[in-house]
Amino acid sequence: MSAFSEAALERKLSELSNSQQSVQTLSLWLIHHRKHSALIVSVWERELRKAKPNRKLTFLYLANDVIQNSKRKGPEFTKDFAPVIVEAFKHVSSESDESCKKHLGRVLSIWEERSVYENDVLEQLRQALYGDRKVRKRTYEQIKVDESNCSPRSSPTDPPQTTDLIRALQELENAASGDAAVHQRIASLPIEVQDVSLLDRITDKESGEQLSKMVDDACMLLADYNGRLAAEIDDRKQLTRMLSDFLRCQKEFLAEKEHKLESFPGCSKTCSCTRKHLKLLCRELQYIFMKLRFAY
């Protein structure tokens, strides 16, 4: 990983794009330098306020990724973001349109479901985003479907649409586990970054620095790939839930139709009689048609 400095952080924030890979890559770099978490959060807040309105949401996506993925290694970022995150929500919300506010709501809903912050902080975030308006709490599964650009559901019991399932399956075609190019890059890593016994070959400062750079590059590649794999696992879990919901609702729909048929006991018999009558009528018509043909 490249060395940490305030200037380096400012440069990386200026280069941050809205793509998942860009957010995850910078998030991994920040988590690696978590001992500087207080300074990182301070610079993040400053650059957020300077950013153009169409880039501010990306800064919150970055904060979300850092807060959630750093918890396994320590509480630094969760604690240091807490004093500034409410004002950050207010700032971004005040300079955003309704579409952006909807994305902020998704981030907040995820934090509620995962209990990222205490209830008092979550309530302040709700106030910052919605004011006094009461907002119905959504499930994490609903949020994930929305994040996958699926069609909105009219109620929590509605099944995902067929187009949603197709889209989710198509997105998995480009998932990390199927990325042959990255697999090849990992397989082609020099043996020096894999075998610690080769450290004995370092004889001077230049060769040590060269090996250090190779190790840093390999760590960045593997960290990015691990992040993509983690995201893919979440996507596959969500697809499993979607398929389960779809199957459940199809079974309920079938049971409902079967119940309706059972409520009309004479319907099946009537249909059967009508079908037989129509078959006889067709045969009679065919017979008349044949007679007409031979008559001429």
Side-chain angles (χ1 to χ4, degrees):
M1 298 270 179
S2 56
F4 177 84
S5 69
E6 188 171 339
L9 174 57
E10 290 176 352
R11 185 182 70 255
K12 288 180 181 294
L13 287 171
S14 70
E15 296 170 349
L16 179 66
S17 74
N18 196 37
S19 71
Q20 183 182 28
Q21 183 170 356
S22 177
V23 171
Q24 288 181 342
T25 300
L26 181 50
S27 174
L28 289 166
W29 186 80
L30 295 177
I31 293 171
H32 178 74
H33 295 290
R34 61 188 179 278
K35 65 181 180 180
H36 304 288
S37 61
L39 177 58
I40 288 172
V41 171
S42 175
V43 174
W44 173 89
E45 183 186 23
R46 185 181 71 217
E47 296 303 309
L48 164 68
R49 295 183 179 278
K50 290 164 53 178
K52 294 180 179 180
N54 62 352
R55 296 190 66 243
K56 292 182 184 294
L57 181 62
T58 307
F59 275 71
L60 283 175
Y61 282 158
L62 174 64
N64 172 54
D65 198 283
V66 170
I67 290 169
Q68 293 201 67
N69 291 312
S70 65
K71 291 175 70 176
R72 296 189 299 271
K73 296 186 177 181
E76 298 96 338
F77 280 108
T78 304
K79 178 174 65 71
D80 290 331
F81 267 110
V84 303
I85 200 66
V86 174
E87 290 301 319
F89 259 68
K90 287 181 181 177
H91 173 73
V92 176
S93 178
S94 66
E95 298 194 9
S96 304
D97 56 19
E98 288 303 316
S99 175
C100 180
K101 290 179 181 179
K102 184 178 179 181
H103 290 295
L104 286 174
R106 291 172 186 164
V107 173
L108 175 55
S109 295
I110 292 173
W111 290 0
E112 289 175 333
E113 293 298 327
R114 296 184 175 182
S115 300
V116 172
Y117 282 112
E118 297 296 329
N119 287 335
D120 60 334
V121 176
L122 293 173
E123 180 58 33
Q124 292 179 57
L125 290 171
R126 281 192 290 270
Q127 290 286 333
L129 188 56
Y130 302 114
D132 294 326
R133 179 164 59 90
K134 298 295 183 181
V135 180
R136 181 174 62 84
K137 194 173 178 180
R138 301 189 307 159
T139 65
Y140 177 62
E141 285 76 12
Q142 288 175 290
I143 297 159
K144 288 295 288 182
V145 170
D146 278 346
E147 287 179 339
S148 301
N149 295 321
C150 294
S151 302
R153 300 185 182 187
S154 59
S155 72
T157 59
D158 287 342
Q161 299 298 312
T162 306
T163 52
D164 298 341
L165 292 172
I166 293 173
R167 186 182 299 113
L169 287 167
Q170 288 174 337
E171 289 175 353
L172 284 176
E173 290 180 0
N174 300 318
S177 60
D179 193 335
V182 173
H183 293 173
Q184 182 59 39
R185 288 178 62 191
I186 293 174
S188 302
L189 288 173
I191 189 64
E192 288 82 358
V193 304
Q194 305 175 46
D195 190 348
V196 294
S197 66
L198 297 179
L199 291 173
D200 296 336
R201 296 183 182 180
I202 298 176
T203 56
D204 52 38
K205 180 180 179 181
E206 183 180 353
S207 60
E209 290 177 345
Q210 183 178 4
L211 178 59
S212 177
K213 184 179 185 306
M214 284 193 295
V215 171
D216 284 345
D217 291 343
C219 287
M220 180 64 79
L221 172 63
L222 293 173
D224 180 54
Y225 185 59
N226 285 337
R228 290 176 61 200
L229 284 175
E232 180 184 342
I233 290 172
D234 286 342
D235 289 342
R236 291 186 181 276
K237 288 179 179 178
Q238 172 58 24
L239 178 58
T240 300
R241 286 191 289 267
M242 291 172 67
L243 289 169
S244 177
D245 288 345
F246 186 80
L247 180 60
R248 172 182 54 78
C249 289
Q250 290 301 311
K251 288 180 178 179
E252 291 175 356
F253 179 77
L254 178 60
E256 180 185 351
K257 295 304 179 184
E258 289 177 343
H259 178 71
K260 285 184 178 181
L261 282 175
E262 291 173 358
S263 65
F264 296 99
C267 181
S268 178
K269 184 177 180 180
T270 302
C271 290
S272 178
C273 292
T274 303
R275 191 180 298 111
K276 290 180 181 178
H277 177 70
L278 288 173
K279 286 183 178 179
L280 289 173
L281 183 59
C282 287
R283 288 174 185 171
E284 290 178 4
L285 288 173
Q286 287 176 342
Y287 176 71
I288 294 171
F289 178 70
M290 292 296 293
K291 286 183 69 175
L292 288 172
R293 286 186 60 190
F294 283 114
Y296 291 98

